Amino acid sequence: MHRRPGYAAASCVSPGQRIARAISTVRSRRLARGATMWMAVFADMGASLRVVFNGLRLLRANGMAPADQRP
């Protein structure tokens, strides 16, 4: 009978340990997915702010600033 390597060692793990390992794997994947989502949100927000402030800078440089902000 042919067995895969590590098959016998895996059978020594109790069902409770397998369930705990599966739950921890799912939780860690959800945490990582949520973290990458927030990183993308912050990156997009930073890019948006950079575009807005660069546009305001160009308006001021060309003398097109709103009337209440002109020197």
Side-chain angles (χ1 to χ4, degrees):
M1 184 160 129
H2 180 19
R3 291 188 178 180
R4 289 180 282 173
Y7 183 74
S11 64
C12 296
V13 177
S14 72
Q17 289 174 334
R18 288 183 186 175
I19 292 171
R21 186 180 301 157
I23 290 172
S24 67
T25 302
V26 169
R27 285 184 181 168
S28 64
R29 286 182 182 168
R30 283 183 186 169
L31 180 65
R33 192 175 354 167
T36 56
M37 181 63 187
W38 279 109
M39 287 170 36
V41 168
F42 287 131
D44 288 343
M45 192 64 198
S48 299
L49 289 175
R50 188 171 181 172
V51 167
V52 168
F53 289 128
N54 193 30
L56 290 173
R57 183 185 61 84
L58 290 173
L59 285 175
R60 283 201 185 119
N62 291 331
M64 302 172 115
D68 61 341
Q69 293 182 0
R70 289 185 186 159

